[in-house]
Amino acid sequence: MQDLPSKEQIIAVVRDEPMVGSQLRRAMGITKHKKLAFKQLLAEMVNEGSLARTSNKEYTPGTGEPKYAEDSEDNRRPSATSRRKATYDDDESRVHRGVLSPDGNDWWQVTDSSTGKVYQMAHRSKVPGKDGETIAFTLYPHPKLKHSMLAKVDRSAMEGDLKWSDVKAQFLKDSSLPEGFSDSIMEFVNKQQAPSEKDLKDGRVDLRNLYILCIDPDGAMDHDDAISVEKRPDGGFHLGVHIADVSHYVPEGSELDDEALTRSFTQYLPWTSVPMLPDRLSSDLCSLHQGVDRLAFSCLIELDKDAHVESFAFKKSMVNITAGITYGEAVKRLEAGDEHVKALQEVTALLRENRRKNGILELGSTEFGCKFDENGEPEKIVPREENESDHWVEECMLIANQCCARELERRHLQGVYRIHEAPDTKDIMELYYQMPDLFKDSPISLRELGKPRRGDTNLNPDIFKLYQHLIARAKGDDEIIMRILRSMQKAHYDSNCFGHFALNWQDYAHFTSPIRRYADLWCHRELSRKTPDETDVKRAWDVVAVCSEISANEVKNQKTERMSLKVCATWLLRKHLGEEFNATVTGVQEWGIYVGVEDPQAEGLVRFRDIAGSDYYVFNPDKGIVYGKRSNKTFARGDKVRVRLLRANPVRGEADFAILEKIGDGRTSKMAKLDRAEAAENLGLVTQPDESELETLRPSERRKVRESYGGDRKANKRKAEREERVEYGRGRKRTSRRSEMDDEPRGRQSRGKKSFGRKKKTSTFGNSRRDSGHIHGKKR
């Protein structure tokens, strides 16, 4: 560094006045061609400690201590790619936990609880917390120092002071659930009187002498169905399904009726319920409590010894419940030899066997509920208990609903029917593409599924048998069962009786729960009519709007119910922030990976940025996987992974996890998958279009059609045509080609006729012979 000032001279100048680089060069008289060498000299003096540089980039005398060790690298800021790679190790996630402490120089530092590393906190002007407090923090590269990291507090990953009462209130607000009923409705409801002897008129029958059981879950407040069973001397049964007569208390077209339609359902949440009707009706006057007279609508069914329906009748009645018990108590009564419960168990077993003979889809999927502690806060997510008695009540309600639909049809009344359409062939193709192993040894040929069927029925025997086979193959695997359920249609309400695919019944309506479902209340009113003439044209139009509204409300209520359970789960998760779990991948999407943990039972999202390591992840919808572009690591539904809980937001029911490592491949990720075009061809849903049809399309449209049917067949088609032209050129097909050409005028054979793949002329003899006769004549 000749002709440059000495280090002592530079230190003497900046000792009097700190200067930036340009000022120092002018003060020392450094010429332009020596500028780079002078800057290098200053950098060396900063590294060795003889000079220091302030935050304003001014040079001052240094402390004499080297800034870096002699074997360290330079302090230049690395590129963005290098910083990203250096940010996290392969086994780290973005969110860490550590203990805060001051460093003695007006700065704060955090000691990582898992590694013991100490990081400087960012934003000196903001106090991050209290000394000794455990915080959640993220790391990002230091803007100036290479290989140095700064820590930043992540408040969203820390447990706050939120109360469970605040979570419930905010959830109700965000879900737009109604808070109560208007004063006019409550005034009307409070005037309603309990049943009395004067109500036994206008054809209402007195059934208070029957032994009637009301079986409901533990803690239920609205009891809208009860059952009576008597065995006949010939071995048959008198079966009575007695339903609360809500239509007696809710006049059609009243303000209360409009409010019930607006709600359409009672919204059940793990900690409470939002009723369709005021408590004065739903939990008192209409509810079938033990030992009190109640108005009911009874379906009286006569069954033979094999539980086949001989006859049925619908009667307005007055009942008095003999025993109101829970599902568990019903099983205990059976074990104790109760003759009434035994008769109920016997008849429902026969009813279920009849359904099984006609075809039944036994899904057996697990449902979950929430258990609360003495303070009313979520304690544990548990599977909902299922007793044998659940099936007793279910079979009685099903047969009563079927009789309701048949009665509506027989009397030509305007009912609201529960219909379920058969799965769409496209959804079946998607399921077959994703999980072909499920279709192994199927009793139904897949090519038969696309056959046309009657438009007035949702029943499809072939598809029903196929789904029986699929469910049997997936028995015991809740994940696969859910995949099968997603391929099926959503049941809804309709003004026409088109049938219920899952039940394999043509006639089905809802009759048994008018306290909590508006569709049942509508059917009660229709069955109460003496003649179809009482139904006017306006009501026939109204039923279409009613079906549409209650079907939409049902979807909304189901989403709210699922979200409320997630709120309970994330409330439990908030106590486990920073902990690690074994989890299962439950779904993959373009925005992240969904994982489920078992204790507590909950589900959360892993964003691609929260997968440990520095890889770049991409979602492949065709294969249903997420894969890393650098490491080729994949994640698919069913994979076992190790995760760390980053955040839990109980108000929104959202939890964020980080994937630390992949433990093992899941069942679905190992399954062989088919090409979409191959799956479609195996199902017989589509056929390769004829080339003459493609020639009528524009080139861009033609290309899209060919691509949608698979590139392999397109290539094979072209290869076959090329081979045919080569063979023709060798003289093996001259006669057939000549006969084809003779069918047209000689001069138009070239210009008027097009053939697939003939876009370029070649100099081969075979292609020349393929051209027009006029050209042949000139060349000859």
Side-chain angles (χ1 to χ4, degrees):
M1 298 188 182
Q2 298 178 356
D3 301 329
L4 290 179
S6 65
K7 296 180 179 179
E8 291 75 11
Q9 290 175 326
I10 296 174
I11 295 174
V13 172
V14 299
R15 182 180 292 116
D16 296 334
E17 180 184 359
M19 296 183 182
V20 298
S22 59
Q23 292 175 330
L24 188 56
R25 285 198 307 273
R26 288 193 296 268
M28 304 294 294
I30 304 300
T31 59
K32 187 175 183 180
H33 69 278
K34 297 179 183 179
K35 175 180 176 181
L36 188 59
F38 183 68
K39 290 181 64 176
Q40 186 175 355
L41 175 60
L42 293 178
E44 290 177 358
M45 294 178 66
V46 169
N47 288 336
E48 68 184 17
S50 58
L51 279 183
R53 204 175 185 192
T54 67
S55 58
N56 295 328
K57 299 183 180 181
E58 294 178 334
Y59 290 97
T60 62
T63 61
E65 296 181 1
K67 190 170 184 180
Y68 298 103
E70 293 182 359
D71 58 348
S72 65
E73 299 180 6
D74 65 273
N75 193 34
R76 289 177 296 178
R77 191 182 187 190
S79 65
T81 303
S82 300
R83 295 200 309 274
R84 282 196 299 268
K85 290 184 178 180
T87 302
Y88 310 113
D89 297 332
D90 288 341
D91 59 347
E92 287 185 347
S93 64
R94 286 192 333 113
V95 180
H96 304 256
R97 274 172 173 74
V99 179
L100 271 177
S101 62
D103 67 353
N105 295 317
D106 295 331
W107 286 84
W108 287 78
Q109 62 187 14
V110 59
T111 304
D112 195 311
S113 301
S114 58
T115 64
K117 294 181 180 179
V118 179
Y119 300 98
Q120 190 178 42
M121 297 297 301
H123 305 300
R124 178 174 59 175
S125 60
K126 297 179 181 179
V127 179
K130 299 178 181 179
D131 185 11
E133 180 184 2
T134 300
I135 64 166
F137 65 94
T138 56
L139 297 174
Y140 64 93
H142 197 289
K144 295 180 180 180
L145 304 182
K146 185 178 181 181
H147 300 311
S148 296
M149 308 295 293
L150 288 178
K152 182 179 180 180
V153 179
D154 189 344
R155 298 291 179 188
S156 63
M158 298 171 61
E159 183 177 354
D161 298 329
L162 200 63
K163 297 181 181 179
W164 175 241
S165 58
D166 298 332
V167 173
K168 293 190 296 183
Q170 188 62 41
F171 179 82
L172 293 175
K173 181 180 178 181
D174 294 342
S175 302
S176 301
L177 294 175
E179 297 181 357
F181 295 88
S182 66
D183 294 338
S184 56
I185 289 178
M186 294 308 301
E187 182 182 357
F188 171 79
V189 169
N190 291 331
K191 292 180 180 179
Q192 302 300 308
Q193 301 295 323
S196 61
E197 294 294 331
K198 64 180 183 180
D199 291 312
L200 288 173
K201 59 181 181 179
D202 296 332
R204 189 178 293 272
V205 297
D206 189 351
L207 300 180
R208 289 175 290 181
N209 61 323
L210 293 179
Y211 190 98
I212 303 178
L213 290 169
C214 181
I215 308 176
D216 276 302
D218 188 17
M221 299 299 295
D222 50 347
H223 309 281
D224 49 11
D225 57 76
I227 305 166
S228 62
V229 182
E230 292 181 354
K231 197 162 185 178
R232 301 187 321 209
D234 62 353
F237 301 89
H238 300 292
L239 174 62
V241 179
H242 311 280
I243 309 301
D245 188 6
V246 178
S247 60
H248 177 82
Y249 297 98
V250 183
E252 186 173 4
S254 64
E255 183 182 358
L256 175 58
D257 185 42
D258 292 340
E259 180 66 22
L261 175 58
T262 300
R263 302 188 181 206
S264 300
F265 298 89
T266 292
Q267 176 70 74
Y268 290 100
L269 304 176
W271 59 86
T272 188
S273 63
V274 182
M276 184 181 78
L277 300 172
D279 288 340
R280 167 68 174 159
L281 297 180
S282 60
S283 301
D284 186 9
L285 293 181
C286 294
S287 193
L288 303 181
H289 294 298
Q290 176 180 328
V292 295
D293 293 344
R294 286 292 181 258
L295 302 181
F297 207 148
S298 300
C299 177
L300 306 176
I301 309 173
E302 296 296 325
L303 304 171
D304 63 17
K305 61 180 181 179
D306 297 321
H308 294 122
V309 177
E310 294 179 336
S311 63
F312 59 85
F314 288 87
K315 299 287 186 182
K316 289 289 187 78
S317 62
M318 181 179 289
V319 298
N320 190 301
I321 305 303
T322 309
I325 57 179
T326 65
Y327 289 123
E329 292 171 347
V331 175
K332 292 179 181 179
R333 287 196 175 208
L334 176 65
E335 295 171 351
D338 189 308
E339 59 177 343
H340 299 283
V341 178
K342 184 177 180 180
L344 173 61
Q345 187 268 344
E346 183 180 351
V347 69
T348 53
L350 293 172
L351 289 171
R352 189 170 183 82
E353 183 61 28
N354 291 339
R355 286 208 301 130
R356 186 175 285 107
K357 290 178 181 178
N358 295 330
I360 184 174
L361 294 180
E362 298 181 292
L363 297 175
S365 58
T366 304
E367 294 184 357
F368 291 90
C370 184
K371 183 179 178 182
F372 294 85
D373 60 17
E374 61 277 4
N375 298 323
E377 294 186 5
E379 183 179 33
K380 191 175 183 180
I381 304 298
V382 295
R384 288 180 178 168
E385 296 182 2
E386 185 173 295
N387 294 299
E388 181 185 358
S389 54
D390 289 57
H391 297 295
W392 304 342
V393 177
E394 178 187 13
E395 294 300 328
C396 293
M397 299 305 111
L398 286 174
I399 195 66
N401 286 336
Q402 186 183 50
C403 291
C404 172
R406 290 179 176 177
E407 181 72 2
L408 292 169
E409 287 284 288
R410 183 181 67 83
R411 293 171 53 190
H412 304 288
L413 299 171
Q414 185 57 68
V416 168
Y417 300 95
R418 184 68 169 175
I419 70 171
H420 184 216
E421 299 169 354
D424 191 273
T425 49
K426 292 182 180 179
D427 296 324
I428 299 175
M429 181 183 72
E430 185 69 20
L431 183 63
Y432 179 56
Y433 158 70
Q434 291 287 342
M435 311 177 72
D437 184 60
L438 273 180
F439 292 75
K440 185 179 179 181
D441 301 325
S442 171
I444 302 299
S445 173
L446 300 181
R447 291 183 175 272
E448 301 296 319
L449 298 183
K451 284 187 175 182
R453 54 188 175 85
R454 286 172 49 194
D456 59 348
T457 180
N458 290 323
L459 305 188
N460 190 316
D462 291 336
I463 296 182
F464 189 83
K465 290 180 181 178
L466 172 64
Y467 270 76
Q468 282 183 306
H469 171 77
L470 299 180
I471 291 172
R473 293 269 298 172
K475 187 175 182 180
D477 193 324
D478 286 346
E479 178 194 344
I480 307 299
I481 290 292
M482 290 304 300
R483 295 286 296 277
I484 296 173
L485 282 173
R486 291 190 190 103
S487 70
M488 300 174 69
Q489 304 280 1
K490 174 73 177 66
H492 58 96
Y493 295 95
D494 199 278
S495 58
N496 297 295
C497 191
F498 288 146
H500 198 290
F501 169 80
L503 292 174
N504 204 24
W505 282 352
Q506 181 63 40
D507 305 303
Y508 194 68
H510 273 168
F511 167 78
T512 55
S513 298
I515 290 180
R516 59 185 181 90
R517 290 191 307 226
Y518 191 85
D520 306 58
L521 177 57
W522 178 285
C523 290
H524 278 219
R525 289 178 178 146
E526 288 298 310
L527 293 173
S528 300
R529 302 184 189 282
K530 296 181 173 58
T531 64
D533 297 336
E534 296 183 27
T535 301
D536 55 17
V537 176
K538 182 179 182 302
R539 185 171 176 80
W541 278 103
D542 286 345
V543 71
V544 177
V546 167
C547 291
S548 177
E549 182 168 359
I550 59 179
S551 295
N553 286 337
E554 181 183 27
V555 173
K556 183 184 70 174
N557 284 18
Q558 288 175 346
K559 290 181 179 179
T560 302
E561 184 176 352
R562 287 195 294 267
M563 183 55 66
S564 65
L565 189 61
K566 289 183 178 180
V567 167
C568 295
T570 49
W571 175 262
L572 297 174
L573 281 176
R574 63 192 280 274
K575 302 176 182 178
H576 300 274
L577 288 170
E579 296 183 13
E580 297 181 6
F581 304 85
N582 288 333
T584 303
V585 176
T586 58
V588 290
Q589 294 292 342
E590 59 183 342
W591 52 82
I593 301 171
Y594 287 95
V595 296
V597 297
E598 294 185 357
D599 189 19
Q601 186 76 37
E603 186 180 59
L605 175 66
V606 178
R607 294 176 172 83
F608 294 154
R609 68 186 184 188
D610 292 326
I611 302 176
S614 58
D615 209 343
Y616 181 79
Y617 287 91
V618 178
F619 172 59
N620 186 326
D622 289 335
K623 295 185 178 180
I625 63 172
V626 167
Y627 68 95
K629 298 193 72 173
R630 301 188 184 103
S631 65
N632 291 325
K633 184 186 295 184
T634 62
F635 296 95
R637 187 189 298 271
D639 286 351
K640 304 299 181 182
V641 293
R642 186 72 175 171
V643 299
R644 177 183 294 154
L645 178 61
L646 303 182
R647 304 175 187 84
N649 185 346
V651 175
R652 298 176 61 89
E654 297 174 350
D656 290 347
F657 290 88
I659 292 180
L660 303 181
E661 61 176 327
K662 181 176 177 180
I663 301 175
D665 289 335
R667 174 179 174 184
T668 54
S669 62
K670 292 181 179 178
M671 281 191 175
K673 296 179 181 179
L674 300 179
D675 176 77
R676 289 183 182 274
E678 182 183 354
E681 186 175 4
N682 290 345
L683 285 171
L685 301 178
V686 293
T687 57
Q688 181 73 10
D690 188 80
E691 291 299 335
S692 60
E693 299 177 5
L694 291 179
E695 288 296 331
T696 62
L697 302 176
R698 290 182 296 180
S700 59
E701 296 176 347
R702 190 185 313 157
R703 183 172 60 257
K704 291 180 181 179
V705 172
R706 284 176 178 148
E707 289 175 354
S708 65
Y709 285 95
D712 292 338
R713 281 181 297 282
K714 172 184 174 183
N716 293 337
K717 186 76 174 178
R718 288 183 172 177
K719 181 179 178 181
E721 291 183 351
R722 284 197 300 270
E723 292 175 351
E724 180 179 345
R725 289 197 295 270
V726 171
E727 293 297 322
Y728 172 70
R730 293 173 180 169
R732 298 182 181 179
K733 291 191 177 183
R734 293 185 182 182
T735 304
S736 61
R737 184 63 180 171
R738 182 72 262 168
S739 61
E740 293 176 11
M741 295 175 66
D742 288 343
D743 291 339
E744 300 181 16
R746 187 173 181 87
R748 295 174 54 193
Q749 288 166 354
S750 172
R751 291 185 287 270
K753 189 167 182 175
K754 297 180 180 179
S755 62
F756 175 69
R758 186 180 142 208
K759 294 183 179 180
K760 296 182 179 180
K761 295 183 180 180
T762 65
S763 59
T764 62
F765 173 71
N767 287 334
S768 299
R769 288 293 303 270
R770 185 191 59 199
D771 292 336
S772 68
H774 178 67
I775 295 178
H776 282 304
K778 291 183 68 176
K779 289 193 175 185
R780 290 284 183 181

